[in-house]
Amino acid sequence: MKFIDVHCHINEKDYGSVDGLIGRINAVGVEKIISAGFDVQSSEYGKSISGKYDCVYFTAGVHPTELKTYRVGDLEIIKSLADCQKCVAIGEIGLDYHYPDTDKILQRKVFLSQLELAIKLEMPVQIHSRDCAEDMFEILKDYAPSLTAGAMLHCYSHSVELASELEKSGLYFSFGGTSTWSGSKKAKRVIKALSADRLMTETDSPYLPPASKYGAFPNTPESIPEIAENMAEIKGMSLESLADCVWNTAHSFFKKLSN
């Protein structure tokens, strides 16, 4: 069985030896991981480790809560990083209205500029979306036809109804450790409602550990088999069938994974 983590954050600070981490990830059958950029520095770091490890790919983008240091020239750097053979998407980008000091106007401006970049480069996008369902839906409804390389909502947390509407627009969804928690009834309902070929597995490591590691830090891509097993149970599929489906979906969506 082949597993994949389509959204994690790899660094020495949280994990210590990346060599050791990669070895442990591969030992449990996680054959590929995508390290998600959240600002210029983390995106550049993703490029550096993707060059060192065959199993590591990366995304380049600026996260909505990381805009205090954002500069106009950063978009050109993201564009340059996107040219790398192992940069599989623009991300993670999006909206996050969770915090009281949120600058919604700036978030929207930077999000739209990165969506426009992805359209121009014909690259898929990884989207972060928290406490912003109405605004996110309106933006994606407008942009989905132009995002010909596709869009994925990572760690999806909105309603079943919104997920169903976004699925009709061609979007994909990834779920991580929170979907295994006993109290995550909404996530389970969404997973059950969506087509299996629209689902992918992630960890958002070092955050959001699955039920068996609740409260532990750091979470790692080693959690993917548990997340996949939970997803398979919800969908009424065997683990092998679910893992194969996710693997194929990820490679169809992130075209550079197959290169």
Side-chain angles (χ1 to χ4, degrees):
M1 255 183 300
K2 299 177 182 177
F3 295 107
I4 183 168
D5 186 342
V6 301
H7 189 101
C8 58
H9 302 282
I10 304 302
N11 58 68
E12 288 98 343
K13 174 177 172 287
D14 294 315
Y15 303 101
S17 168
V18 175
D19 282 341
L21 175 66
I22 297 299
R24 297 196 306 274
I25 291 169
N26 293 159
V28 299
V30 179
E31 296 197 6
K32 293 184 180 181
I33 63 174
I34 300 173
S35 185
F38 53 85
D39 59 13
V40 167
Q41 184 177 8
S42 60
S43 299
E44 290 176 332
Y45 179 77
K47 178 183 177 180
S48 71
I49 59 170
S50 74
K52 185 175 181 181
Y53 304 101
D54 290 344
C55 67
V56 178
Y57 296 77
F58 76 103
T59 70
V62 181
H63 188 285
T65 65
E66 302 296 323
L67 300 181
K68 290 180 180 177
T69 59
Y70 179 77
R71 300 292 179 267
V72 175
D74 288 353
L75 199 61
E76 285 301 314
I77 299 173
I78 297 301
K79 180 181 178 182
S80 176
L81 289 167
D83 288 336
C84 177
Q85 190 57 45
K86 296 189 81 175
C87 181
V88 299
I90 301 298
E92 64 181 293
I93 63 175
L95 301 174
D96 190 324
Y97 295 170
H98 184 70
Y99 300 102
D101 62 345
T102 294
D103 186 337
K104 294 182 181 180
I105 294 174
L106 179 60
Q107 282 197 10
R108 183 184 180 92
K109 178 182 177 181
V110 176
F111 181 33
L112 296 185
S113 70
Q114 292 182 100
L115 287 178
E116 294 286 353
L117 177 62
I119 292 167
K120 182 178 180 180
L121 298 177
E122 297 182 341
M123 290 189 71
V125 291
Q126 275 198 356
I127 296 173
H128 171 99
S129 182
R130 182 163 64 158
D131 297 345
C132 61
E134 185 175 344
D135 285 357
M136 181 60 71
F137 177 67
E138 290 302 318
I139 289 172
L140 292 180
K141 185 172 66 173
D142 291 341
Y143 273 84
S146 301
L147 290 165
T148 55
M152 183 200 87
L153 284 158
H154 104 88
C155 204
Y156 183 80
S157 61
H158 301 308
S159 69
V160 175
E161 293 76 17
L162 181 59
S164 296
E165 288 300 313
L166 292 173
E167 182 181 23
K168 292 175 187 175
S169 295
L171 271 74
Y172 292 77
F173 307 80
S174 63
F175 294 86
T178 55
S179 64
T180 71
W181 299 353
S182 60
S184 295
K185 294 181 174 58
K186 183 165 64 175
K188 290 176 170 62
R189 288 197 298 269
V190 174
I191 292 169
K192 187 171 184 178
L194 293 172
S195 301
D197 61 3
R198 291 283 157 178
L199 301 173
M200 288 182 261
T201 51
E202 67 157 286
T203 60
D204 204 15
S205 306
Y207 315 107
L208 308 179
S212 70
K213 302 170 185 173
Y214 188 80
F217 187 90
N219 184 28
T220 80
E222 294 167 90
S223 298
I224 286 292
E226 180 178 348
I227 292 164
E229 186 171 11
N230 174 72
M231 192 179 289
E233 183 178 344
I234 293 170
K235 297 299 292 180
M237 301 170 66
S238 69
L239 176 58
E240 184 174 4
S241 295
L242 186 281
D244 285 346
C245 186
V246 169
W247 182 268
N248 292 333
T249 297
H251 283 74
S252 175
F253 181 78
F254 300 107
K255 297 291 193 292
K256 289 184 182 178
L257 283 176
S258 300
N259 294 338

